Amino acid sequence: MKKAIMCLIGAMMILSLAACTPTTEKGKTGEVKETQGSNSVDNTKLPDPTAPDLDVISIYTVSADGTKLEGTMDAVEGKDAQTVADLLIKYGVLEEGTEVIEFKAEGEPASEEVGPGVVKIPGIEFESTVKEYGTVNLSKLPDDKDDMLLQAIANTFIENMDVLYLTILVNGETVAENLTFVDAGK
C-alpha cells in the first residue's frame, strides 16, 4: 500500500514539474520563436555607472496646522550636519542662511536598543555608529520657534546623524536639551 501511494505521489510530482516547465512557442511554419526570458538583457535598465552615490535623508517638518510632525525623504551626495540643515531650510523648517556652527556626537549608547528597527540577534555583534548624545549649534532659529519646530529639527538630526539624544544650541546658548526621537504623526 505504501509503495502504491509513493508511486502515485511521485507521478503527481513529475506531472506538476512537467506542467511548470516552460515550452517554446511554435509558429505556423513549425519554426521555434524566441521567448522573452531571463537571459535577455534590456540595456536601458542597467544602472548608470557614472551616477553619483546618494544618501537618503529623512526630513521632518511641522504640519500646516502645527499639530504634528510629517516626514519626507530626499537624496543628497554626502551626508553631514550642514547638508541636513540645508534640507531643513529647503523644506521650510529653518530660515534661509542658517548655518551649522558645530555638530558633535559622543558617548556609547547605554542600552543595546539603539533605535527603531534595530534587532539584536543573539551571538552576532554589529558595529554601531550610533552615539548617545549629539549637540548641534546653529547660527539662528526662526523667531516663532515652538516645541514642534524643535522636535522636527531634533528628529531630523537624530535619525540622520545617528544619535539618541540631541541638544540644540543657537550661537552657543542652549535652546532645547536631550530631545529624543518622536514618531511622526504624534
Side-chain angles (χ1 to χ4, degrees):
M1 182 71 172
K2 285 185 182 180
K3 285 184 182 182
I5 292 175
M6 293 303 287
C7 287
L8 181 61
I9 291 174
M12 289 175 53
M13 288 176 58
I14 291 171
L15 289 174
S16 66
L17 286 174
C20 294
T21 304
T23 58
T24 58
E25 297 178 24
K26 292 189 177 188
K28 293 179 183 176
T29 61
E31 296 175 358
V32 176
K33 291 182 182 177
E34 193 173 318
T35 59
Q36 182 78 12
S38 61
N39 292 338
S40 64
V41 176
D42 183 0
N43 288 336
T44 61
K45 294 185 180 179
L46 292 176
D48 181 2
T50 62
D53 287 333
L54 299 176
D55 290 314
V56 177
I57 294 185
S58 299
I59 301 102
Y60 292 87
T61 59
V62 180
S63 64
D65 64 3
T67 61
K68 63 183 178 184
L69 296 177
E70 297 176 333
T72 190
M73 298 179 115
D74 208 331
V76 295
E77 285 185 58
K79 179 170 60 170
D80 62 14
Q82 187 59 53
T83 304
V84 173
D86 291 344
L87 285 172
L88 286 169
I89 292 167
K90 176 181 174 182
Y91 286 92
V93 177
L94 295 176
E95 295 175 341
E96 191 70 37
T98 302
E99 294 182 15
V100 175
I101 298 169
E102 180 183 31
F103 176 82
K104 62 182 176 181
E106 56 196 8
E108 295 301 316
S111 169
E112 290 184 2
E113 296 178 22
V114 290
V118 177
V119 178
K120 178 84 171 143
I121 302 171
I124 298 178
E125 293 294 321
F126 291 102
E127 278 196 41
S128 175
T129 59
V130 176
K131 299 293 183 187
E132 184 87 16
Y133 298 102
T135 304
V136 63
N137 189 2
L138 300 171
S139 61
K140 61 182 175 177
L141 280 179
D143 292 334
D144 58 343
K145 66 181 173 291
D146 62 1
D147 288 344
M148 290 301 281
L149 179 98
L150 294 172
Q151 191 62 57
I153 295 167
N155 272 15
T156 303
F157 274 94
I158 287 169
E159 186 167 332
N160 296 296
M161 302 305 290
D162 297 328
V163 295
L164 296 178
Y165 302 99
L166 184 76
T167 297
I168 301 173
L169 308 173
V170 177
N171 292 316
E173 292 185 34
T174 302
V175 176
E177 208 168 10
N178 292 330
L179 296 173
T180 59
F181 186 87
V182 173
D183 286 336
K186 289 189 176 181

